[in-house]
């Protein structure tokens, strides 16, 4: 003899089931969704200074949030290959990126091993800043990614905004540590644009 739980016995087919909201939403179709974020801002550091911070992948483990290991395993003119380990216990993941560098204008990284991500691409572009302020630059940062794991994809939806904001701020703090205070830029000349999907 099987017993039906008491709660189900009391609900008829026409009875509404109470709605509850979960931390991880499995009611949506179980598909990974590509996340994209881009940001443009003026910084009080030169193009070369910001390029040097971003292109030095070996140091990411020292300042990028949740990056536990970062090692360049191959380097040649304009290109590098790096292995990174990211996460926080108990979730730690490794992946490999191919990096394209165009000094002092571009650092582009693309995930190549496909174990953690279906797609991961970050692009940093550096261009001249404000005329009359030689130690300024315009930074265009974009990231797009799609996890293979549905769990990672759901977690990314919850934490995405905070993670990206902390990442960009970490590169600014690193520049400050290496090069001192940034050039003061009058408020009316500052801009900061953010786009995400």
């Amino acid at each position: 003899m099987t017993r039906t739980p008491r709660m189900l016995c009391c609900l008829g087919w026409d009875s509404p089931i109470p709605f509850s909201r979960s931390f991880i939403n499995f009611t949506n179709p179980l598909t990974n969704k590509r996340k994209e974020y881009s940001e443009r801002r003026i910084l009080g550091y030169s193009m070369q200074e910001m390029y040097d911070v971003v292109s030095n992948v070996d140091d990411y483990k020292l300042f990028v949030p949740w990056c536990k290991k970062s090692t360049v395993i191959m380097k040649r003119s304009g290109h590098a290959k790096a292995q990174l380990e990211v996460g926080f216990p108990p979730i730690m993941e490794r992946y490999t990126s191919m990096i394209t560098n165009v000094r002092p204008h571009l650092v582009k990284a693309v995930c190549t091993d496909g174990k953690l991500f279906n797609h991961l691409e970050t692009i940093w572009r550096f261009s001249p800043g404000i005329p009359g302020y030689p130690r300024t630059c315009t930074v265009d940062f974009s990231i797009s990614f799609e996890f293979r794991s549905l769990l990672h994809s759901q977690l990314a939806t919850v934490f995405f905004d905070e993670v990206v904001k902390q990442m960009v701020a970490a590169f600014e703090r690193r520049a400050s540590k290496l090069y001192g205070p940034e050039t003061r830029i009058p408020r009316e000349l500052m801009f900061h644009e953010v786009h995400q999907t």
Side-chain angles (χ1 to χ4, degrees), residues 152-171:
H152 288 127
S153 188
Q154 290 290 326
L155 287 172
T157 300
V158 174
F159 299 112
F160 179 69
D161 294 344
E162 192 55 36
V163 168
V164 173
K165 287 176 192 168
Q166 286 191 33
M167 260 185 62
V168 174
F171 284 90

Side-chain angles (χ1 to χ4, degrees), residues 7 13 15 41-42 64 73 77 80 88 108 131 135 182 194:
M7 175 96 164
W13 287 107
S15 299
R41 66 166 65 181
I42 298 262
V64 175
I73 55 174
S77 180
F88 45 87
K108 177 180 177 180
R135 193 175 173 237
E182 64 182 305
V194 174

